[in-house]
Amino acid sequence: MTTFIDPSTGRNKASIAELRDWAKVWDTYDPAVHGHREMPGFYTAGSRHENWWGSTVSLDQLLHLAQDHGIPVAWLPDREILQRLATAGPAHDDKLAVLVAAEAEIRALCKVRLDECTDEWLTAEVEAGRKALAAWEDGHREAAATLAIAALEQILYTLTETKERKHWALAKIGRQKPNGYLPARQYVFAPLATLYTKYYPEENDPLPDNLSRHAVLHHLPLDHLSHGHCIIALMLLVSVLRQSQERAEDIRDDLVMAAAD
């Protein structure tokens, strides 16, 4: 039995088998077909991100957007934008066009999610995020994206808890297959699969189609920092920071429970 603290559900325990069975219903919920339904209390208890609720986008589609296109899907964007991304054409530029068209909505949600990052352990990292969002709002998109990518590295090493402080280790984490029962955490990391694609211009590597950390920090071809790629960089920073807030809350809860014992 896996235990969750969620008094709003009227209970605080659910087995893995129950989560698995409920997920079959959750992942097919379509507001247009089934009408408005409140998000179940256990929906986000390690198994789903709240922005997936009612999106009708399958876990496989979400993983494709994240691992193959480098687009964050955890914590943001909202369900309507996820739908547009999933139904857009298959080309990378088709997906970027959706992000560009929804830039104002995405930026507003990034602010909301960043405001939820209040743990004192994240003070410096959140401040970097605020400065990046401020630059974005002021129209300095490339500067904002570059700051976002530079800020990500140490945050990711802490959040993934990898002992290998190497870029290839983060790429490997991004390529991992999500846990079938509790997939939420892996979807935060899935965009790393393409962000850390090998790119060495001195070895005549072709410039990656997807946003590349190596290209931005070591080469910086400005055409690579396209409008859509800048949005992805900022979304990813906020997504990772929001997951870091979740991790900090979990650690503090564990410490409180351990002290109570």
Side-chain angles (χ1 to χ4, degrees), residues 157 164-175 196 214:
Y157 285 135
E164 295 286 350
R165 297 290 176 117
K166 303 292 183 182
H167 300 150
W168 60 261
L170 294 174
K172 183 179 179 181
I173 289 171
R175 291 191 296 268
Y196 285 97
H214 295 342

Side-chain angles (χ1 to χ4, degrees), residues 101-178:
E103 180 175 18
E105 300 164 68
I106 293 170
R107 185 169 59 230
L109 184 54
C110 281
K111 289 182 179 180
V112 171
R113 290 289 176 253
L114 195 61
D115 284 344
E116 294 169 351
C117 300
T118 58
D119 194 277
E120 63 187 36
W121 291 341
L122 303 175
T123 300
E125 292 83 353
V126 170
E127 181 61 20
R130 294 194 191 285
K131 290 183 181 298
L133 291 189
W136 186 11
E137 189 164 24
D138 287 344
H140 304 296
R141 203 177 289 117
E142 295 86 355
T146 302
L147 174 57
I149 291 173
L152 271 169
E153 200 97 328
Q154 184 57 47
I155 304 171
L156 284 169
Y157 285 135
T158 300
L159 182 59
T160 60
E161 299 177 354
T162 178
K163 296 178 181 178
E164 295 286 350
R165 297 290 176 117
K166 303 292 183 182
H167 300 150
W168 60 261
L170 294 174
K172 183 179 179 181
I173 289 171
R175 291 191 296 268
Q176 289 176 356
K177 182 179 179 180

